[in-house]
Amino acid sequence: MTTNTATMATPTAASGLSAAMTFVMAAACGLIAANLYYSQPLAGPIAASIGLPAHATGLIVTLTQIGYGLGLLLVVPLGDLLENRRLILTMIGVVTVALLGAGLSTASVPFLAASLAIGIGSTAVQMIVPFAASLTNDANRGRVVGNVMSGLMIGIMMARPVSSFVAEFSSWHIVFFLSAAVMIVLGFVLAARLPKRMPQTKLSYVALLASMGSLYATQPVLRRRAFYQACQFATFSLFWTVTPLVLAGPAFHLSQAGIALFALAGVAGAIASPIAGRLADRDLGRPATIFGIAAVAVAFLITHIAPEGSIIALALLTVAAILLDFGVTMTLVIGQRSIYNLGADLRSRLNGLYMATFFCGGAIGSAVGAWAFAEGGWLLASSLGLALPVIAFLYFLTEKRAKA
């Protein structure tokens, strides 16, 4: 496959990406990605405040997810067509306006519309990651992607406890206003620091979208890596949907503050991102993938060692959270490093397809996890959580070594 070279300002792909620019991109990814998760622990208070019926509370989170999914498929591919810096800044503008709209909302319809727009605008994060990959050389691409993704994962994991703490001492409106202020500052920083990058793709927008189906059909590395990560992220979503219910239940009786502290422990798993990137650069993506999948499976197994409700059980559940987040992050970065090697002029479309696929897995994991916990408690939910990485591993065993 031939690869077009994009024109760009310094730094160039040949010289690599500076540590300062890598940090800026990682921080941007974390701050933008957090917008997707601020509302999750606040869904109840928000619904009561805007007059949303209890049975429709799930729409607060669901519409943000729908917006993000639409953005992955319809907006992120534009990174292969339009100047990257301007596109990223435009989407940050969209999410800023949406956050302000959410914070100002006093009725359900405006808030839900803002939630949809927050999801669409937050896809800027999935434009930054392939942009970073394009600004570095092949030898260091895994390291750079891993470092940038560590920022994204920290943002995802920090969002829920941060919004819980802020809302506890003020109101849910302030969470959105503060994030909008952060987005404004971030926009100025990126406008000053990001280089310009103009892709060489000459397709029309319609042809660009049409080409995504062909990419999915003709790129086995994309399909495999997306499937592995769909299983991994489904497990991740199941775990973080169910464990707050377990911790708040009769076995542990944790408060919201206690659950928020538990969620903070999972942030430690973000250290997997730079480790995974370096392993991929050393052609160790295959054993790293095995380790990442195995870590997720072991995370569920260790939760059954001690009696439910005991101090040891709580400690093991905390270790499981760290191990699970570590494993999911490991395979995520290895997967991105693999698909970015398929062509510089395809990276935004490949990334959109990859993220959309495993995003669907996450949505399924959340829904199945809630159902399983209601029907069979932690035993059934954790059994399903264990089955998913096992399925991913069995499929991995069919992978030819040359494609690792």
Coordinates of all heavy atoms in Angstrom, one line a residue, residues 164-259:
S164 N -17.9 13.9 40.9 CA -18.6 13.6 42.2 C -18.2 14.6 43.3 O -19.1 15.1 44.1 CB -18.3 12.2 42.6 OG -18.9 11.3 41.7
F165 N -16.9 14.8 43.4 CA -16.4 15.7 44.5 C -16.9 17.1 44.3 O -17.3 17.8 45.2 CB -14.9 15.6 44.6 CG -14.4 14.4 45.2 CD1 -13.4 13.6 44.6 CD2 -14.8 14.0 46.5 CE1 -13.0 12.4 45.2 CE2 -14.4 12.8 47.1 CZ -13.4 12.1 46.5
V166 N -16.8 17.6 43.0 CA -17.2 19.0 42.7 C -18.7 19.2 43.0 O -19.1 20.2 43.7 CB -16.9 19.4 41.3 CG1 -17.5 20.7 40.9 CG2 -15.4 19.4 41.0
A167 N -19.5 18.2 42.6 CA -21.0 18.3 42.8 C -21.3 18.2 44.3 O -22.3 18.9 44.7 CB -21.7 17.2 42.0
E168 N -20.5 17.5 45.1 CA -20.8 17.4 46.5 C -20.7 18.7 47.2 O -21.4 19.0 48.2 CB -19.9 16.3 47.1 CG -20.2 16.0 48.6 CD -19.5 14.8 49.1 OE1 -18.9 14.1 48.3 OE2 -19.4 14.7 50.3
F169 N -19.7 19.5 46.8 CA -19.5 20.8 47.4 C -20.1 22.0 46.7 O -20.0 23.1 47.3 CB -17.9 21.0 47.6 CG -17.3 19.9 48.5 CD1 -16.6 18.9 47.9 CD2 -17.5 20.0 49.9 CE1 -16.0 18.0 48.8 CE2 -16.9 19.1 50.7 CZ -16.1 18.0 50.1
S170 N -20.7 21.8 45.6 CA -21.3 22.9 44.9 C -22.6 22.4 44.2 O -23.6 22.1 44.9 CB -20.4 23.6 43.9 OG -19.9 22.6 42.9
S171 N -22.6 22.3 42.9 CA -23.8 21.7 42.2 C -23.3 21.1 40.9 O -22.2 21.4 40.4 CB -24.8 22.8 41.9 OG -24.4 23.7 40.8
W172 N -24.1 20.3 40.3 CA -23.7 19.7 39.0 C -23.5 20.7 37.9 O -22.7 20.5 37.0 CB -24.8 18.6 38.6 CG -26.1 19.2 38.3 CD1 -27.2 19.2 39.1 CD2 -26.6 19.7 37.0 NE1 -28.3 19.7 38.4 CE2 -28.0 20.0 37.2 CE3 -26.0 19.9 35.8 CZ2 -28.7 20.6 36.1 CZ3 -26.7 20.4 34.7 CH2 -28.1 20.7 34.9
H173 N -24.2 21.9 38.0 CA -24.0 22.9 37.0 C -22.6 23.4 36.9 O -22.0 23.6 35.8 CB -24.9 24.1 37.3 CG -26.4 23.8 37.3 ND1 -27.1 23.9 36.1 CD2 -27.2 23.5 38.3 CE1 -28.4 23.6 36.4 NE2 -28.5 23.3 37.7
I174 N -21.9 23.5 38.1 CA -20.6 24.0 38.2 C -19.6 23.0 37.5 O -18.6 23.5 36.9 CB -20.2 24.2 39.7 CG1 -21.1 25.2 40.3 CG2 -18.7 24.6 39.8 CD1 -21.1 26.6 39.7
V175 N -19.9 21.8 37.5 CA -19.0 20.8 36.8 C -18.9 21.1 35.3 O -17.8 21.2 34.8 CB -19.6 19.4 37.0 CG1 -18.8 18.4 36.1 CG2 -19.6 18.9 38.4
F176 N -20.0 21.5 34.7 CA -20.0 21.8 33.3 C -19.4 23.1 33.0 O -18.6 23.3 32.0 CB -21.4 21.7 32.7 CG -22.0 20.3 32.7 CD1 -22.8 19.9 33.7 CD2 -21.6 19.4 31.7 CE1 -23.3 18.6 33.7 CE2 -22.1 18.1 31.7 CZ -23.0 17.7 32.7
F177 N -19.6 24.1 33.9 CA -19.0 25.4 33.7 C -17.5 25.4 33.8 O -16.8 26.0 33.0 CB -19.6 26.4 34.7 CG -21.1 26.8 34.4 CD1 -21.9 27.0 35.5 CD2 -21.6 26.9 33.2 CE1 -23.3 27.3 35.3 CE2 -22.9 27.2 32.9 CZ -23.7 27.4 34.0
L178 N -17.0 24.6 34.8 CA -15.6 24.5 35.0 C -14.9 23.8 33.8 O -13.9 24.3 33.3 CB -15.3 23.7 36.3 CG -15.5 24.5 37.6 CD1 -15.3 23.5 38.8 CD2 -14.7 25.7 37.7
S179 N -15.6 22.8 33.3 CA -15.0 22.1 32.1 C -15.0 23.0 30.9 O -14.1 23.0 30.1 CB -15.8 20.8 31.9 OG -15.2 20.1 30.8
A180 N -16.1 23.8 30.7 CA -16.1 24.8 29.6 C -14.9 25.8 29.7 O -14.3 26.1 28.7 CB -17.4 25.5 29.6
A181 N -14.7 26.2 30.9 CA -13.5 27.2 31.1 C -12.2 26.5 30.8 O -11.3 27.1 30.1 CB -13.5 27.6 32.6
V182 N -12.1 25.2 31.2 CA -10.9 24.5 30.8 C -10.7 24.3 29.3 O -9.6 24.4 28.8 CB -10.9 23.1 31.5 CG1 -9.8 22.2 31.0 CG2 -10.8 23.3 33.1
M183 N -11.8 24.1 28.6 CA -11.8 23.9 27.2 C -11.3 25.2 26.5 O -10.6 25.2 25.5 CB -13.1 23.5 26.7 CG -13.5 22.0 27.0 SD -12.4 20.7 26.4 CE -11.5 20.4 27.9
I184 N -11.8 26.3 27.0 CA -11.4 27.6 26.4 C -9.9 27.8 26.5 O -9.2 28.2 25.6 CB -12.2 28.8 27.1 CG1 -13.7 28.7 26.7 CG2 -11.6 30.1 26.7 CD1 -14.5 29.6 27.5
V185 N -9.4 27.6 27.7 CA -7.9 27.7 27.9 C -7.2 26.7 27.1 O -6.2 27.1 26.4 CB -7.6 27.5 29.4 CG1 -6.0 27.4 29.6 CG2 -8.2 28.5 30.3
L186 N -7.7 25.5 27.0 CA -7.0 24.5 26.2 C -7.0 24.9 24.7 O -6.0 24.6 24.0 CB -7.8 23.1 26.3 CG -7.2 21.9 25.5 CD1 -5.8 21.6 25.9 CD2 -8.1 20.7 25.7
G187 N -8.1 25.5 24.2 CA -8.2 25.9 22.8 C -7.1 26.9 22.5 O -6.4 26.8 21.5
F188 N -6.8 27.9 23.4 CA -5.8 28.9 23.2 C -4.4 28.2 23.2 O -3.5 28.5 22.4 CB -5.8 30.0 24.2 CG -6.9 31.0 24.0 CD1 -8.0 31.0 24.8 CD2 -6.8 31.9 22.9 CE1 -9.0 32.0 24.6 CE2 -7.8 32.8 22.7 CZ -8.9 32.9 23.5
V189 N -4.2 27.2 24.1 CA -2.9 26.6 24.2 C -2.6 25.8 22.9 O -1.5 25.9 22.3 CB -2.9 25.6 25.4 CG1 -1.6 24.7 25.3 CG2 -2.9 26.4 26.7
L190 N -3.6 25.0 22.4 CA -3.4 24.2 21.2 C -3.3 25.1 20.0 O -2.5 24.8 19.1 CB -4.6 23.2 21.0 CG -4.7 22.1 22.1 CD1 -5.9 21.2 21.7 CD2 -3.5 21.3 22.2
A191 N -4.0 26.2 19.9 CA -3.9 27.1 18.8 C -2.4 27.7 18.7 O -1.9 27.9 17.6 CB -4.8 28.3 18.9
A192 N -1.8 27.8 19.9 CA -0.4 28.4 19.9 C 0.6 27.3 19.7 O 1.7 27.6 19.1 CB -0.2 29.1 21.2
R193 N 0.3 26.0 20.1 CA 1.4 25.0 20.1 C 1.3 24.0 19.0 O 2.3 23.5 18.6 CB 1.3 24.3 21.5 CG 1.6 25.2 22.7 CD 3.1 25.7 22.6 NE 4.1 24.7 22.5 CZ 4.7 24.1 23.5 NH1 4.3 24.4 24.7 NH2 5.6 23.2 23.3
L194 N 0.1 23.7 18.5 CA 0.0 22.6 17.5 C 0.5 23.1 16.2 O 0.2 24.2 15.7 CB -1.5 22.2 17.4 CG -2.1 21.3 18.4 CD1 -3.5 20.9 18.0 CD2 -1.3 20.0 18.6
P195 N 1.3 22.3 15.5 CA 1.7 22.6 14.1 C 0.5 22.4 13.2 O -0.5 21.7 13.5 CB 2.8 21.6 13.9 CG 2.5 20.4 14.7 CD 1.8 21.0 15.9
K196 N 0.6 22.9 12.0 CA -0.4 22.7 11.0 C 0.0 21.4 10.3 O 1.1 21.0 10.1 CB -0.4 23.8 9.9 CG -0.9 25.1 10.5 CD -1.0 26.2 9.4 CE -1.6 27.5 9.9 NZ -1.6 28.5 8.8
R197 N -1.1 20.6 9.9 CA -0.9 19.4 9.1 C -2.0 19.3 8.1 O -3.1 19.1 8.5 CB -0.8 18.2 10.0 CG -0.7 16.9 9.2 CD -0.6 15.6 10.1 NE -0.5 14.4 9.3 CZ -1.5 13.8 8.7 NH1 -2.7 14.1 8.9 NH2 -1.2 12.7 8.0
M198 N -1.6 19.3 6.8 CA -2.6 19.2 5.8 C -2.5 17.9 5.1 O -1.5 17.6 4.4 CB -2.4 20.4 4.8 CG -3.5 20.4 3.7 SD -5.1 20.9 4.4 CE -6.2 20.1 3.2
P199 N -3.5 17.0 5.2 CA -3.4 15.7 4.6 C -3.4 15.9 3.1 O -3.9 16.9 2.5 CB -4.7 15.0 5.1 CG -5.1 15.7 6.3 CD -4.6 17.1 6.1
Q200 N -3.0 14.8 2.4 CA -2.9 14.9 0.9 C -4.1 14.1 0.2 O -4.1 14.0 -1.0 CB -1.6 14.3 0.4 CG -0.4 15.1 0.8 CD -0.4 16.5 0.3 OE1 -0.5 16.7 -0.9 NE2 -0.5 17.5 1.2
T201 N -5.0 13.6 1.1 CA -6.1 12.8 0.5 C -7.0 13.8 -0.4 O -7.3 14.9 0.1 CB -7.0 12.3 1.6 OG1 -6.2 11.4 2.4 CG2 -8.2 11.4 1.1
K202 N -7.4 13.3 -1.5 CA -8.2 14.1 -2.5 C -9.6 13.7 -2.6 O -10.3 14.1 -3.5 CB -7.5 14.1 -3.9 CG -6.1 14.6 -3.9 CD -5.9 16.0 -3.3 CE -4.5 16.6 -3.4 NZ -4.4 17.9 -2.8
L203 N -10.0 12.8 -1.8 CA -11.4 12.3 -1.8 C -12.4 13.3 -1.4 O -12.1 14.2 -0.6 CB -11.6 11.0 -0.9 CG -10.7 9.8 -1.3 CD1 -10.9 8.8 -0.2 CD2 -11.1 9.3 -2.6
S204 N -13.7 13.2 -1.9 CA -14.7 14.0 -1.4 C -15.2 13.5 0.0 O -14.8 12.4 0.3 CB -15.9 14.0 -2.3 OG -16.5 12.7 -2.4
Y205 N -16.0 14.2 0.7 CA -16.4 13.7 2.0 C -17.2 12.4 1.9 O -17.0 11.5 2.7 CB -17.2 14.8 2.7 CG -17.8 14.4 4.1 CD1 -17.0 14.1 5.1 CD2 -19.2 14.3 4.3 CE1 -17.5 13.7 6.4 CE2 -19.7 13.9 5.5 CZ -18.9 13.6 6.5 OH -19.4 13.2 7.7
V206 N -18.1 12.4 0.9 CA -18.9 11.2 0.7 C -18.0 10.0 0.4 O -18.2 8.9 0.9 CB -20.0 11.4 -0.4 CG1 -20.7 10.1 -0.7 CG2 -21.0 12.5 0.0
A207 N -17.1 10.2 -0.5 CA -16.2 9.1 -0.9 C -15.3 8.7 0.3 O -15.0 7.5 0.4 CB -15.3 9.6 -2.1
L208 N -14.9 9.7 1.1 CA -14.1 9.4 2.3 C -14.9 8.4 3.2 O -14.3 7.4 3.7 CB -13.8 10.7 3.1 CG -12.8 10.6 4.2 CD1 -11.4 10.5 3.7 CD2 -13.0 11.8 5.2
L209 N -16.2 8.7 3.5 CA -17.0 7.9 4.3 C -17.2 6.5 3.7 O -17.2 5.5 4.3 CB -18.3 8.5 4.6 CG -18.3 9.8 5.5 CD1 -19.7 10.3 5.7 CD2 -17.6 9.6 6.8
A210 N -17.4 6.5 2.4 CA -17.7 5.2 1.7 C -16.4 4.3 1.7 O -16.5 3.1 1.8 CB -18.0 5.5 0.2
S211 N -15.2 5.0 1.8 CA -14.0 4.2 1.8 C -13.8 3.4 3.1 O -13.0 2.5 3.2 CB -12.8 5.1 1.6 OG -12.6 5.9 2.7
M212 N -14.5 3.8 4.2 CA -14.4 3.2 5.5 C -14.8 1.8 5.5 O -14.2 0.9 6.1 CB -15.1 4.0 6.5 CG -14.4 5.4 6.7 SD -15.4 6.4 7.9 CE -15.1 5.6 9.4
G213 N -15.9 1.5 4.7 CA -16.4 0.1 4.6 C -15.3 -0.8 3.9 O -15.1 -1.9 4.3
S214 N -14.7 -0.2 2.9 CA -13.6 -1.0 2.2 C -12.4 -1.2 3.1 O -11.8 -2.3 3.1 CB -13.2 -0.2 0.9 OG -12.1 -0.8 0.3
L215 N -12.1 -0.2 3.9 CA -11.0 -0.4 4.8 C -11.2 -1.5 5.8 O -10.4 -2.3 6.1 CB -10.7 0.9 5.6 CG -10.0 2.0 4.8 CD1 -9.9 3.3 5.7 CD2 -8.6 1.6 4.4
Y216 N -12.5 -1.5 6.3 CA -12.8 -2.6 7.3 C -12.7 -4.0 6.7 O -12.3 -4.9 7.3 CB -14.2 -2.3 7.9 CG -14.3 -2.8 9.3 CD1 -14.0 -1.9 10.4 CD2 -14.8 -4.0 9.7 CE1 -14.1 -2.3 11.7 CE2 -14.9 -4.4 11.0 CZ -14.6 -3.6 12.0 OH -14.7 -4.0 13.3
A217 N -13.1 -4.0 5.4 CA -13.2 -5.3 4.8 C -11.8 -5.8 4.3 O -11.5 -7.0 4.3 CB -14.1 -5.2 3.5
T218 N -10.9 -4.9 4.1 CA -9.6 -5.3 3.5 C -8.4 -5.2 4.5 O -7.3 -5.6 4.1 CB -9.3 -4.3 2.3 OG1 -9.2 -3.0 2.7 CG2 -10.3 -4.5 1.2
Q219 N -8.7 -4.8 5.7 CA -7.6 -4.7 6.7 C -7.8 -5.6 7.8 O -8.5 -5.3 8.8 CB -7.5 -3.2 7.2 CG -7.2 -2.2 6.1 CD -5.8 -2.3 5.5 OE1 -4.9 -3.0 6.1 NE2 -5.6 -1.7 4.4
P220 N -7.3 -6.8 7.8 CA -7.5 -7.8 8.8 C -6.9 -7.4 10.2 O -7.4 -7.7 11.2 CB -6.8 -9.1 8.3 CG -5.8 -8.6 7.2 CD -6.5 -7.4 6.7
V221 N -5.8 -6.6 10.1 CA -5.2 -6.1 11.4 C -6.2 -5.2 12.1 O -6.4 -5.3 13.3 CB -3.9 -5.4 11.1 CG1 -3.4 -4.7 12.4 CG2 -2.8 -6.3 10.6
L222 N -6.9 -4.4 11.4 CA -7.9 -3.5 12.0 C -9.0 -4.3 12.6 O -9.4 -4.0 13.7 CB -8.4 -2.5 10.9 CG -9.7 -1.7 11.3 CD1 -9.4 -0.8 12.4 CD2 -10.2 -1.0 10.0
R223 N -9.5 -5.3 11.8 CA -10.6 -6.1 12.3 C -10.3 -6.8 13.6 O -11.0 -6.9 14.6 CB -11.1 -7.0 11.3 CG -11.8 -6.4 10.0 CD -12.6 -7.4 9.2 NE -11.7 -8.6 8.8 CZ -11.0 -8.6 7.7 NH1 -10.9 -7.6 6.9 NH2 -10.3 -9.7 7.4
R224 N -9.1 -7.4 13.6 CA -8.7 -8.2 14.7 C -8.5 -7.3 16.0 O -9.0 -7.6 17.0 CB -7.4 -9.0 14.4 CG -7.6 -10.2 13.6 CD -6.3 -11.0 13.5 NE -6.5 -12.3 13.0 CZ -6.8 -13.4 13.7 NH1 -7.0 -13.2 15.1 NH2 -7.1 -14.6 13.2
R225 N -7.7 -6.3 15.8 CA -7.4 -5.4 16.9 C -8.7 -4.8 17.5 O -8.9 -4.6 18.7 CB -6.4 -4.4 16.5 CG -5.0 -4.9 16.3 CD -4.4 -5.4 17.7 NE -3.3 -6.2 17.5 CZ -2.6 -6.7 18.5 NH1 -2.9 -6.4 19.7 NH2 -1.5 -7.5 18.3
A226 N -9.6 -4.4 16.6 CA -10.9 -3.8 17.0 C -11.7 -4.9 17.8 O -12.3 -4.5 18.8 CB -11.7 -3.3 15.8
F227 N -11.7 -6.1 17.4 CA -12.4 -7.1 18.1 C -11.8 -7.4 19.5 O -12.6 -7.5 20.5 CB -12.5 -8.5 17.3 CG -13.2 -9.5 18.0 CD1 -14.6 -9.6 17.9 CD2 -12.6 -10.5 18.8 CE1 -15.3 -10.6 18.5 CE2 -13.3 -11.5 19.4 CZ -14.7 -11.5 19.3
Y228 N -10.5 -7.5 19.5 CA -9.9 -7.7 20.8 C -10.3 -6.6 21.8 O -10.7 -6.8 23.0 CB -8.3 -7.7 20.7 CG -7.7 -8.7 19.8 CD1 -6.4 -8.4 19.3 CD2 -8.3 -9.9 19.5 CE1 -5.8 -9.4 18.5 CE2 -7.7 -10.8 18.7 CZ -6.5 -10.5 18.1 OH -5.9 -11.4 17.3
Q229 N -10.2 -5.4 21.3 CA -10.5 -4.2 22.2 C -12.0 -4.1 22.5 O -12.3 -3.6 23.5 CB -10.0 -2.9 21.6 CG -9.7 -1.8 22.6 CD -8.7 -2.3 23.7 OE1 -7.8 -3.1 23.4 NE2 -8.9 -1.8 24.9
A230 N -12.8 -4.5 21.6 CA -14.3 -4.5 21.9 C -14.6 -5.4 23.1 O -15.3 -5.1 24.0 CB -15.1 -5.0 20.7
C231 N -13.9 -6.6 23.1 CA -14.1 -7.5 24.2 C -13.5 -6.9 25.5 O -14.1 -7.0 26.6 CB -13.4 -8.9 23.9 SG -14.2 -9.9 22.7
Q232 N -12.3 -6.3 25.4 CA -11.7 -5.7 26.5 C -12.5 -4.5 27.1 O -12.7 -4.4 28.3 CB -10.3 -5.2 26.1 CG -9.3 -6.3 25.8 CD -8.7 -7.0 27.0 OE1 -9.3 -7.9 27.6 NE2 -7.6 -6.5 27.5
F233 N -13.0 -3.7 26.2 CA -13.7 -2.5 26.7 C -15.1 -2.9 27.2 O -15.6 -2.2 28.0 CB -13.8 -1.5 25.6 CG -14.1 -0.1 26.1 CD1 -13.2 0.5 27.0 CD2 -15.2 0.6 25.7 CE1 -13.4 1.8 27.5 CE2 -15.4 1.9 26.2 CZ -14.6 2.5 27.1
A234 N -15.7 -3.9 26.6 CA -17.0 -4.4 27.2 C -16.8 -4.8 28.6 O -17.6 -4.6 29.5 CB -17.5 -5.6 26.3
T235 N -15.6 -5.5 28.9 CA -15.3 -6.0 30.2 C -15.1 -4.8 31.1 O -15.6 -4.7 32.3 CB -14.1 -6.8 30.2 OG1 -14.2 -7.8 29.2 CG2 -13.9 -7.5 31.5
F236 N -14.4 -3.8 30.6 CA -14.1 -2.5 31.4 C -15.4 -1.8 31.8 O -15.6 -1.5 32.9 CB -13.3 -1.6 30.5 CG -13.0 -0.3 31.1 CD1 -11.8 -0.1 31.8 CD2 -13.8 0.8 30.8 CE1 -11.5 1.2 32.3 CE2 -13.5 2.1 31.3 CZ -12.4 2.3 32.1
S237 N -16.3 -1.7 30.8 CA -17.6 -1.0 31.0 C -18.5 -1.8 32.0 O -19.1 -1.2 32.9 CB -18.3 -0.8 29.7 OG -17.6 0.1 28.9
L238 N -18.4 -3.1 31.9 CA -19.2 -4.0 32.8 C -18.7 -3.8 34.2 O -19.5 -3.6 35.1 CB -19.1 -5.4 32.3 CG -19.8 -6.5 33.1 CD1 -20.2 -7.7 32.2 CD2 -19.0 -7.1 34.3
F239 N -17.4 -3.9 34.4 CA -16.8 -3.7 35.7 C -17.2 -2.4 36.4 O -17.6 -2.4 37.5 CB -15.3 -3.9 35.6 CG -14.6 -3.8 36.9 CD1 -14.3 -5.0 37.6 CD2 -14.1 -2.6 37.4 CE1 -13.7 -4.9 38.9 CE2 -13.4 -2.6 38.7 CZ -13.2 -3.7 39.4
W240 N -17.0 -1.3 35.6 CA -17.2 0.0 36.2 C -18.7 0.4 36.3 O -19.1 1.3 37.0 CB -16.4 1.1 35.5 CG -14.9 0.9 35.8 CD1 -14.0 0.5 35.0 CD2 -14.3 1.2 37.0 NE1 -12.8 0.5 35.6 CE2 -12.9 1.0 36.9 CE3 -14.8 1.7 38.3 CZ2 -12.0 1.1 37.9 CZ3 -13.9 1.9 39.3 CH2 -12.5 1.6 39.1
T241 N -19.5 -0.4 35.6 CA -21.0 -0.2 35.8 C -21.5 -0.9 37.0 O -22.3 -0.4 37.8 CB -21.8 -0.7 34.6 OG1 -21.4 0.0 33.4 CG2 -23.3 -0.6 34.8
V242 N -20.9 -2.1 37.3 CA -21.4 -3.0 38.4 C -20.7 -2.7 39.7 O -21.4 -2.7 40.7 CB -21.2 -4.5 38.0 CG1 -21.6 -5.4 39.1 CG2 -22.1 -4.8 36.7
T243 N -19.4 -2.5 39.7 CA -18.7 -2.3 41.0 C -19.3 -1.2 41.9 O -19.4 -1.4 43.1 CB -17.2 -2.1 40.8 OG1 -17.0 -1.1 39.9 CG2 -16.6 -3.4 40.4
P244 N -19.7 0.0 41.4 CA -20.4 0.9 42.3 C -21.6 0.4 42.9 O -21.9 0.7 44.1 CB -20.7 2.1 41.3 CG -19.7 2.0 40.2 CD -19.5 0.5 40.0
L245 N -22.4 -0.4 42.2 CA -23.5 -1.1 42.8 C -23.2 -2.1 43.9 O -23.8 -2.1 44.9 CB -24.4 -1.8 41.7 CG -24.8 -0.9 40.5 CD1 -25.5 -1.8 39.5 CD2 -25.7 0.2 41.0
V246 N -22.1 -2.8 43.6 CA -21.6 -3.8 44.6 C -21.1 -3.0 45.9 O -21.5 -3.4 47.0 CB -20.5 -4.6 44.1 CG1 -19.8 -5.5 45.1 CG2 -21.0 -5.5 42.9
L247 N -20.3 -2.0 45.7 CA -19.8 -1.2 46.8 C -20.8 -0.5 47.6 O -20.7 -0.3 48.8 CB -18.7 -0.3 46.3 CG -17.5 -0.9 45.7 CD1 -16.6 0.1 45.0 CD2 -16.7 -1.7 46.7
A248 N -21.9 0.0 47.0 CA -22.9 0.7 47.7 C -23.9 -0.3 48.3 O -24.8 0.1 49.1 CB -23.7 1.6 46.7
G249 N -23.9 -1.6 48.0 CA -24.8 -2.6 48.5 C -24.6 -3.0 49.9 O -23.7 -2.5 50.6
P250 N -25.3 -4.0 50.3 CA -25.3 -4.4 51.7 C -24.0 -5.0 52.2 O -23.7 -5.1 53.4 CB -26.4 -5.4 51.8 CG -26.7 -5.9 50.4 CD -26.4 -4.7 49.6
A251 N -23.2 -5.5 51.2 CA -21.9 -6.2 51.6 C -20.8 -5.2 52.1 O -20.1 -5.4 53.0 CB -21.4 -7.0 50.4
F252 N -20.8 -4.0 51.4 CA -19.7 -3.0 51.7 C -20.2 -1.7 52.3 O -19.5 -1.1 53.0 CB -18.9 -2.7 50.4 CG -18.1 -3.9 49.9 CD1 -18.6 -4.7 48.8 CD2 -16.9 -4.3 50.5 CE1 -17.9 -5.8 48.4 CE2 -16.2 -5.4 50.0 CZ -16.7 -6.1 49.0
H253 N -21.4 -1.3 51.9 CA -22.0 0.0 52.4 C -21.1 1.2 52.2 O -21.0 2.0 53.1 CB -22.3 -0.2 53.9 CG -23.4 -1.2 54.2 ND1 -24.7 -1.0 53.9 CD2 -23.3 -2.4 54.8 CE1 -25.4 -2.1 54.3 NE2 -24.6 -2.9 54.9
L254 N -20.5 1.3 51.1 CA -19.6 2.5 50.9 C -20.5 3.7 50.5 O -21.5 3.5 49.8 CB -18.6 2.2 49.8 CG -17.2 1.8 50.2 CD1 -17.2 0.6 51.0 CD2 -16.3 1.7 49.0
S255 N -20.1 4.9 50.9 CA -20.7 6.1 50.5 C -20.3 6.5 49.1 O -19.4 5.9 48.5 CB -20.4 7.2 51.5 OG -19.0 7.5 51.4
Q256 N -20.9 7.6 48.5 CA -20.5 8.0 47.2 C -19.0 8.5 47.2 O -18.3 8.3 46.3 CB -21.4 9.2 46.8 CG -22.7 8.7 46.2 CD -22.6 7.8 45.0 OE1 -22.9 6.6 45.1 NE2 -22.0 8.4 43.9
A257 N -18.6 9.1 48.4 CA -17.2 9.6 48.5 C -16.3 8.3 48.5 O -15.2 8.4 47.9 CB -17.0 10.4 49.7
G258 N -16.7 7.3 49.2 CA -15.9 6.1 49.2 C -15.8 5.4 47.8 O -14.7 4.9 47.4
I259 N -16.9 5.4 47.1 CA -16.9 4.9 45.7 C -16.0 5.7 44.8 O -15.3 5.2 44.0 CB -18.3 4.8 45.2 CG1 -19.1 3.7 46.0 CG2 -18.3 4.4 43.7 CD1 -20.6 3.7 45.7

